Amino acid sequence: MSKAVALSLMVLLPMVGHTDDKDVVDYRQHIMKSLEHQTAVLGQILSGAGPAENTLAHMETLALTASVALKSFEAKVPGGAAKPEVWKDWADFSKRMKEFADKSAEMAKVGREQGVDQAAMLVIEALPCKGCHDVYRDEKKL
């Protein structure tokens, strides 16, 4: 390998997969917005304002998004609407996020196996958003 190629690789390889803090925060905000949108859509459907035949699709989308949400915080980059408490009390925050993922997955599973009427009874339990937001989300930065 020539010295020029080796030098180029040494310069470029650290940039492969490089993400700056703004990208990390933007990604996290997109994930959280997706959860917000799916929650709103489920609320519309359950109130009769949206098409009931889409209920399971939205439950599954919510569960899938919830399953990856915690990963979006693992870089531990402050910013957006996340309060510093997210990382100061990581054990509690990650426990809450895992419970949210588990409960939304259970809701979607019940929807698939027992029907959306049964799953609809789990929506409130599956969406503990406010409890987490009260502690870990800065409403002023929205």
Side-chain angles (χ1 to χ4, degrees), residues 45-101:
I45 290 170
L46 296 175
S47 72
E53 62 269 13
N54 294 340
T55 306
L56 183 57
H58 291 291
M59 287 177 171
E60 290 177 331
T61 301
L62 179 83
L64 177 61
T65 307
S67 76
V68 299
L70 180 60
K71 189 75 174 165
S72 72
F73 287 88
E74 287 179 358
K76 299 184 179 177
V77 174
K83 290 181 178 178
E85 286 80 356
V86 167
W87 298 281
K88 287 178 186 169
D89 197 357
W90 182 254
D92 180 63
F93 177 78
S94 60
K95 177 182 155 224
R96 289 175 187 237
M97 291 294 284
K98 287 175 186 173
E99 287 174 355
F100 169 48

Side-chain angles (χ1 to χ4, degrees), residues 25 28-29 77-83 138 141-142:
V25 172
R28 183 172 66 227
Q29 288 177 320
V77 174
K83 290 181 178 178
D138 187 351
K141 292 189 179 179
L142 295 177

